[in-house]
Amino acid sequence: MIALLSLIAYPFILFPFFLFLFVYFFFKKLFKKSNAFSKAADATTLLLFFSIPALTKLIWHFDLGFIVIILGIFIAMILTIVEWIKSKEIDLIKLFRKIWRLMFLILTFAYIGICLAAIIQKVIELY
């Protein structure tokens, strides 16, 4: 059972944008006027937290899991402080949404950067 679950989950962990496309098209078909992009980004962000450490472990045998978690906490702290300075009352739902969307952007660029670095490294090794 665990082997079957890992067989299904492993491609999504290595290629999280398959999940992004799946969720995007699912919500686009299900609800005509929906925010399908934001739903897909929210689902992909959770997967990117696992995908980046797995990808770096696979390529360079280096575990980034702890660094990704620390980065997420640090960004959440900074955004919370900025929101608190800006307005004394903090709307937690809006704050969590900002944090989650910013993490999507950061983790997406990190994922793309890791993939590009791995490709460049492989090309250099071949020559």
Side-chain angles (χ1 to χ4, degrees), residues 6 22 28 35 38 45 58 61 65 69 76 79 95 97 105:
S6 65
F22 176 75
K28 198 70 164 169
N35 48 358
S38 62
T45 303
L58 179 72
H61 308 290
I69 292 170
L79 284 179
L95 178 64
R97 190 175 298 133
L105 290 175

Side-chain angles (χ1 to χ4, degrees), residues 57-74:
K57 185 82 166 175
L58 179 72
I59 296 171
W60 295 299
H61 308 290
F62 180 72
D63 192 12
L64 281 180
F66 188 69
I67 295 171
V68 171
I69 292 170
I70 295 298
L71 175 71
I73 292 170
F74 184 70

